[in-house]
Amino acid sequence: MHIVIMGCGRTGATLATEFEARGHTVAVIDQSGDAFRRLPPTFEGQRITGIGFDRDTLVSAGVEDAYAFAAVSDGDNSNILAARVVRETYGIDNVVARIADFGRAEVYRRLGIPTVAPVPWTAAQIVSRLLPGGSDALYHDPSGGVSLSRLPLDSGWVGHRYTELERRARARVAYLVRFGEALLPDPETLVQEGDEAYFTMVPGTGADPARVTGRSPEVSK
């Protein structure tokens, strides 16, 4: 597949390297030719100096045949404008724009433009890691309300099956991290000390999953 990336900062360069390593063709657009120095010497994709929402620039980057477009420059306005041009003019559905302003990101998300707001996410990650009993929101689908979060596990759950925890919390364990390794639990998997459990949840279940997982089984009955 062909991927077009607008912005060759650290994020754009990392994305370009990752996509190419997965076997995709990549074109990177940036207003400054000097920005391409962030790409590794082995990068074989296109380096295009230009404005990411300019149609001639986009065509040069192969946007007409692109599978996806990522707008990750330092400018919120430029990212949104480029994302809209690519989606509305070239009909590309797989479009993501990085927006630093969380409030604006929510607005554009409701308009159907997927956005990533790094500051609130980073802050939430730090808070959850520094304070005991914190949860970690990794993903939220505003249309369906489905979310993926790391939830605290009370030590009282150690030795219990994850299926019991799922039943009580009315949420599904998507995966675990145990001793630094990812693990997909089966019906017999038991909670171990130090597990990090990531749950998928939907609204309207009548349960508070974090409250259930963060308290001992006896208390949460």
Side-chain angles (χ1 to χ4, degrees):
M1 296 180 290
H2 184 57
I3 314 293
V4 179
I5 298 170
M6 186 186 90
C8 196
R10 285 174 293 181
T11 300
T14 300
L15 288 173
T17 303
E18 176 67 20
F19 284 131
E20 189 171 75
R22 294 182 180 219
H24 306 299
T25 61
V26 182
V28 185
I29 301 169
D30 201 285
Q31 295 186 61
S32 171
D34 190 50
F36 300 124
R37 73 183 189 282
R38 297 185 177 93
L39 295 168
T42 55
F43 180 71
E44 297 180 354
Q46 294 175 267
R47 300 169 173 85
I48 298 174
T49 303
I51 298 173
F53 49 82
D54 176 76
R55 295 186 184 186
D56 290 338
T57 301
L58 288 167
V59 170
S60 297
V63 72
E64 293 170 310
D65 299 315
Y67 173 79
F69 177 81
V72 292
S73 75
D74 291 335
D76 284 6
N77 292 335
S78 296
N79 289 342
I80 281 297
L81 180 56
R84 292 193 63 180
V85 168
V86 168
R87 169 166 278 190
E88 296 170 12
T89 303
Y90 300 101
I92 297 176
D93 293 327
N94 299 309
V95 173
V96 173
R98 182 175 69 177
I99 305 296
D101 185 328
F102 178 68
R104 295 176 67 191
E106 285 294 317
V107 171
Y108 287 115
R109 193 175 292 126
R110 294 191 197 103
L111 294 176
I113 300 175
T115 59
V116 176
V119 173
W121 184 85
T122 301
Q125 291 273 310
I126 293 172
V127 169
S128 69
R129 297 289 177 174
L130 293 181
L131 298 181
S135 62
D136 219 355
L138 301 181
Y139 170 80
H140 175 70
D141 180 352
S143 58
V146 178
S147 61
L148 173 66
S149 298
R150 179 182 64 85
L151 299 182
L153 291 178
D154 184 87
S155 59
W157 285 104
V158 172
H160 290 255
R161 285 188 174 89
Y162 273 102
T163 51
E164 180 186 354
L165 187 56
E166 290 178 323
R167 179 178 58 80
R168 299 265 199 98
R170 298 184 184 178
R172 292 292 180 86
V173 178
Y175 67 96
L176 311 173
V177 175
R178 177 177 290 173
F179 304 121
E181 299 280 339
L183 171 69
L184 295 177
D186 61 35
E188 302 302 316
T189 302
L190 302 179
V191 179
Q192 291 188 16
E193 189 72 36
D195 279 359
E196 292 186 3
Y198 294 80
F199 291 77
T200 51
M201 300 170 286
V202 295
T205 62
D208 182 349
R211 184 178 178 84
V212 173
T213 64
R215 308 172 82 180
S216 69
E218 291 73 21
V219 174
S220 60
K221 283 184 179 179

